Each structure stands twice: as C-alpha cells, then as structure tokens.
C-alpha cells in the first residue's frame, strides 16, 4: 500500500536467534515503499549473512566504522539520512549500550550519534528481559522518548516461556506505520459499526447477509492509526480486533442500535461512520424453540422493518458528524445522493454491492457539493482516503 513511501529507515540487527525474522521485516518495510539501510553487529552475522541482507534491502550492508572511503564518516552519514532508526531484533546488550551511551561498534555509534526517533524491538530470554538491569535500561530509554515494539510473551528458542519474545514482523511493521502516521484525529472519538446483523427466527435459524466486516474493521484500524479513540460495534464476523480499538460484539440490528445509542450517550463521539450492512427487516416473530418441519407445509415468515441506526444517530441534537455507506447493484451514485439528503448525512460512500465480502471496493464520495470517484482500490486504501476526508469534514465543521 506504500504507506512508508519516501521514508528512510536505518535497521540495526543484533545477535539474537530472532535475527532471521529481520529478513522478513526488511521485505515488509520495502513493500510499503521505504528505503532500508541495514547495519549488522558482529554477533548478528552468526545468524544472518550480509549477502542475504544486501539482496533483501537492495543496498550495501554496513558492519564496520572503519571504511576506506576518506570522504565519509560512516555512522554519521547513515544516521543523518534516516527518518527512523529501528533496532530489530535488539539484544539486552544493545539496549544496555543505548541506555548508557556506550559506542564501541557501528550500530552503537549510530545510536549515540542519532537525533531522530529510535524504535527498539527487543528479543531475549525472559530472565535477561526481567533482569533489573535490563528493566532499568528500558525504563530510562522510555523516559527519554525511545519507542518500544514488544517484546511479547510466549515460547522462546531456549525452551523457556515468558516475556522477551520478538514481536512478529507484521506487527513491528504496523508500529512503524503508526509512528509515521500524522495524528490528525488526536482527541477525537470515533464510533464505527461493521459487519452484518443476524435476525433470529428461532434458536438455530435466522436472516442475515454476507458482509465480512472487512471494510468497517479497516476503517477502525485507520482511525486508530490517526490517533482517534475508536469504538467499534460489530455484528457477527470473524475479523481480528485492530489494536487499541474498543470492540463491542452484537447480533441483531436492535442490539446494534442499543449499543450505538449507549456509546453516543456515554462518550459523545465526534464522528459516526456507519459501515455495517444492517438487515433492513427481521422476522416479525422469533420463536424460543426450534420450528419443527411438518410434512407438506410451507413456512410463511412475515418480516417487519428494523430501526435505521444511522438515521437515528443523525437525528440526535448535537450528535456526531455522520458518514454512511450505500452499497447498490444499480444507480449507485443516484441512490447515494438520495440517502445523503434523506438521512441528513455529511457524506455517503457509495460502492458497488459486489464489494461485500471482497478485498476490493470501487467507491465514490457523495456530498451535497458533488461526487468524487475514487476508482477501484483495496479496502485498506479506501479506509485511508475516508479517514483523511473525515478529518477535512471535521475541520470544516469547526470553522
Ligand atoms: O438505507 P440503506 O440501508 O441503503 O443505508 C445504508 C447506510 O445506512 C449504511 O451506512 C448502513 O450502515 C446504514 N443503515 C443503518 N441501519 C439500517 C440500515 C442501514 O444504520 N437499518
């Protein structure tokens, strides 16, 4: 998705068994569009080779202060060009050196010479991590603005189980993206609905739709990255809760409405993004016992309308800025315009109904002032564009 386009990262790799995972991390960082300069310690070279690191990073790999080039001072040049220094994996030794200003090899020289942010992803035996000396060093570094990505608890290479395990490369990548994302929604509270609803007919049967929840969860994750406090009311779906998001699971539209109204009353959100594919109807009657088949009889089910959650929130006095979605099979933009006016919304994201369950979405931003075509993008990309648009709408609302 090019979330790190134009950024330069100096990646320090130290001598931990987790060094092999740094290879995957380089690949992930580069896939997001950033340049990665690698510095390895002597110990790290016992686990990963310079040839492989060079191939993965596409750049020379550095391991010594002593270069032949008379025009450069290696560690100063490396540090100057980096937007972020990331040490992953970081041993107890490099953490101790960083905390105490010890500079006796290229990587520790870089850490002492740095002026930009430093993120450390520790990896060590749990007793080394818990050692008071390490904890003192970590505490000192945190107090001085150094960021930590992990460690996490779990099985360790040495056979122990506990805290000290290297965070997975995908999660370290998310921490790096979080670092670079401008916190445009700091102090903003965002409420999002996602997924389908399920309207029970009896204890084993019901009425629902094929919404996966992907789009709503992607928006919740993005809002969090931009610094918002996020409440996500989710219908039945199998998406992982994005880190930092308050998730409330519900089943029916009525439960979703109750949950949304309670959050509106309790936290007074600034923004409501209604992404859920709420069932428009529910069975008029829901049975406590399983309906039994009787030979040769059809089952007639009467449906009644569900409450419109978005319209209810949009009618609140001093309620949040409201954004809705409109998935249609035809006349996509026209129906979205109608919804914008009928439900009194600030913005409708119109999309084709075939986006339901897919990883992609073809969408339009429909506002009173006009319509913007966004083309076909991933749901993550649409989430990013929508959050940036929401920031603009919130800013205009204030002016
Ligand atoms: O009216 P329609 O269902 O097409 O509107 C879609 C928008 O309204 C979506 O944002 C959806 O989350 C929301 N909605 C709702 N409650 C309903 C039906 C739809 O909040 N009962």
């Amino acid at each position: 998705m090019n979330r790190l386009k134009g950024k330069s990262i100096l990646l320090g790799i130290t001598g931990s068994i987790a060094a092999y995972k740094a290879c995957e991390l380089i690949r992930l960082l580069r896939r997001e569009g950033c340049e990665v300069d690698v510095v390895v310690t002597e110990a790290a070279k016992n686990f990963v080779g310079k040839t492989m690191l060079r191939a993965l990073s596409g750049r020379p790999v550095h391991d010594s202060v002593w270069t032949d080039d008379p025009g450069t001072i290696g560690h100063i040049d490396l540090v100057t060009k980096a937007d972020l220094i990331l040490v992953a994996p970081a041993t107890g030794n490099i953490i101790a050196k960083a905390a105490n200003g010890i500079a006796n090899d290229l990587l520790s020289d870089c850490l002492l010479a740095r002026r930009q942010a430093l993120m450390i992803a520790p990896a060590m035996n749990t007793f080394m991590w818990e050692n008071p000396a390490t904890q003192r060093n970590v505490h000192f570094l945190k107090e001085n603005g150094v960021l930590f990505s992990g460690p996490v608890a779990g099985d360790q290479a040495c056979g122990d189980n506990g805290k000290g395990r290297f965070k997975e490369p995908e999660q370290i990548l998310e921490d790096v993206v979080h670092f670079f994302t401008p916190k445009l929604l700091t102090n903003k509270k965002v409420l999002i609905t996602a997924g389908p609803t399920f309207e029970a007919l009896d204890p084993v049967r019901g009425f629902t739709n094929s919404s996966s929840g992907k789009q709503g969860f992607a928006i919740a994750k993005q809002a969090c990255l931009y610094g918002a406090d996020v409440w996500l009311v989710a219908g039945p779906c199998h998406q992982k809760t994005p880190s930092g998001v308050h998730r409330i699971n519900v089943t029916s539209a009525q439960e979703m409405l109750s949950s949304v109204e309670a959050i509106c009353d309790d936290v007074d959100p600034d923004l409501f993004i209604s992404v859920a594919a709420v069932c428009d109807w529910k069975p008029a009657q829901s049975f406590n016992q399983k309906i039994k088949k009787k030979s040769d009889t059809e089952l007639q089910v009467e449906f009644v309308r569900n409450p419109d959650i978005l319209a209810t929130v949009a009618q609140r006095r001093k309620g949040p800025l409201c954004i809705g979605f409109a998935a249609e099979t035809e006349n996509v933009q026209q129906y979205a315009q109608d919804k914008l006016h009928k439900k009194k919304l600030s913005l409708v994201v119109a999309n084709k109904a075939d986006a339901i369950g897919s990883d992609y979405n073809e969408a339009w931003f429909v506002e009173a002032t006009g319509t913007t075509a966004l083309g076909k993008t991933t749901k993550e990309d649409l989430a990013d564009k929508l959050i940036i648009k929401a920031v603009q709408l919130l800013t205009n609302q204030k002016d």
Side-chain angles (χ1 to χ4, degrees):
M1 209 171 97
N2 276 337
R3 292 179 296 171
L4 298 173
K5 197 164 185 250
K7 302 293 181 210
S8 172
I9 292 180
L10 177 60
L11 175 67
I13 303 176
T14 65
S16 152
I17 180 83
Y20 77 94
K21 291 191 178 176
C23 300
E24 175 66 1
L25 183 58
I26 296 171
R27 212 180 58 79
L28 294 173
L29 289 167
R30 290 197 66 202
R31 206 170 62 184
E32 294 288 352
C34 73
E35 239 175 38
V36 183
D37 277 297
V38 178
V39 174
V40 276
T41 61
E42 279 308 302
K45 286 191 282 183
N46 290 306
F47 296 98
V48 282
K50 282 177 72 177
T51 314
M52 178 163 67
L53 296 170
R54 193 181 315 120
L56 288 169
S57 67
R59 309 178 63 77
V61 172
H62 310 274
D63 60 353
S64 173
V65 193
W66 314 111
T67 60
D68 290 336
D69 186 346
T72 65
I73 303 176
H75 57 285
I76 302 295
D77 288 348
L78 276 171
V79 167
T80 309
K81 72 173 279 227
D83 298 301
L84 171 71
I85 302 180
L86 171 64
V87 185
T91 55
N93 183 45
I94 194 73
I95 290 173
K97 287 204 237 175
N100 292 283
I102 295 169
N104 62 358
D105 63 3
L106 180 58
L107 182 57
S108 51
D109 283 4
C110 288
L111 298 190
L112 192 60
R114 80 181 168 95
R115 271 176 297 168
Q116 58 282 81
L118 168 62
M119 186 182 288
I120 289 180
M124 70 195 79
N125 167 274
T126 189
F127 298 110
M128 294 170 96
W129 172 254
E130 283 167 5
N131 188 299
T134 305
Q135 287 305 308
R136 179 198 55 207
N137 293 334
V138 169
H139 181 73
F140 174 83
L141 290 169
K142 282 186 178 169
E143 278 209 318
N144 283 277
V146 174
L147 304 163
F148 277 76
S149 177
V152 291
D155 286 339
Q156 301 206 303
C158 52
D160 285 328
N161 183 294
K163 197 160 178 187
R165 210 181 129 84
F166 192 53
K167 217 173 175 183
E168 288 306 320
E170 293 79 9
Q171 293 167 348
I172 296 174
L173 172 73
E174 291 309 318
D175 289 343
V176 171
V177 171
H178 189 271
F179 166 77
F180 281 114
T181 308
K183 302 293 172 281
L184 300 173
L185 286 175
T186 300
N187 296 329
K188 295 285 181 222
K189 289 172 272 184
V190 179
L191 170 60
I192 297 167
T193 60
T197 62
F198 179 88
E199 313 299 332
L201 175 63
D202 71 13
V204 295
R205 304 184 183 95
F207 182 64
T208 186
N209 58 62
S210 53
S211 167
S212 62
K214 274 181 205 157
Q215 186 63 77
F217 277 66
I219 293 168
K221 178 176 170 184
Q222 212 57 22
C224 227
L225 272 181
Y226 279 85
D229 255 341
V230 180
W231 283 260
L232 176 63
V233 181
C237 62
H238 301 284
Q239 302 295 326
K240 251 176 67 187
T241 312
S243 94
V245 165
H246 315 283
R247 175 178 182 167
I248 302 99
N249 287 327
V250 295
T251 304
S252 66
Q254 189 55 54
E255 279 173 29
M256 189 173 269
L257 175 65
S258 305
S259 201
V260 161
E261 292 209 290
I263 294 166
C264 285
D265 291 339
D266 293 350
V267 309
D268 191 17
D270 303 278
L271 173 65
F272 175 44
I273 310 179
S274 178
V275 196
V278 183
C279 290
D280 292 313
W281 299 276
K282 64 175 178 183
Q285 196 182 356
S286 176
F287 296 86
N288 290 333
Q289 304 298 331
K290 186 179 167 193
I291 303 169
K292 299 303 290 174
K293 285 195 287 285
K294 291 188 196 109
S295 56
D296 296 339
T297 53
E298 303 290 339
L299 176 67
Q300 300 283 344
V301 179
E302 194 190 333
F303 284 95
V304 292
R305 285 297 299 263
N306 258 329
D308 191 311
I309 301 166
L310 176 56
T312 309
V313 174
Q315 276 161 17
R316 286 175 85 97
R317 267 182 39 124
K318 294 190 179 162
L321 190 143
C322 287
I323 296 178
F325 269 69
E328 302 288 356
T329 51
E330 56 177 354
N331 298 334
V332 178
Q333 295 177 51
Q334 184 53 51
Y335 286 150
Q337 277 286 355
D338 298 346
K339 250 165 249 184
L340 184 81
H341 298 298
K342 202 168 134 227
K343 300 197 190 191
K344 297 192 169 49
L345 308 176
S346 299
L347 171 72
V348 170
V349 183
N351 59 345
K352 292 196 177 158
D354 62 9
I356 292 180
S358 158
D359 288 337
Y360 294 89
N361 214 339
E362 183 173 357
W364 293 261
F365 283 163
V366 177
E367 296 171 86
T369 48
T371 295
T372 314
L374 303 170
K376 191 167 180 172
T377 56
T378 62
K379 289 189 172 174
E380 285 77 16
D381 200 28
L382 177 59
D384 193 49
K385 291 192 170 102
L386 178 57
I387 292 300
I388 288 170
K389 181 77 198 173
V391 170
Q392 276 172 16
L393 293 171
L394 285 165
T395 311
N396 293 346
Q397 186 190 41
K398 223 171 44 196
D399 294 342

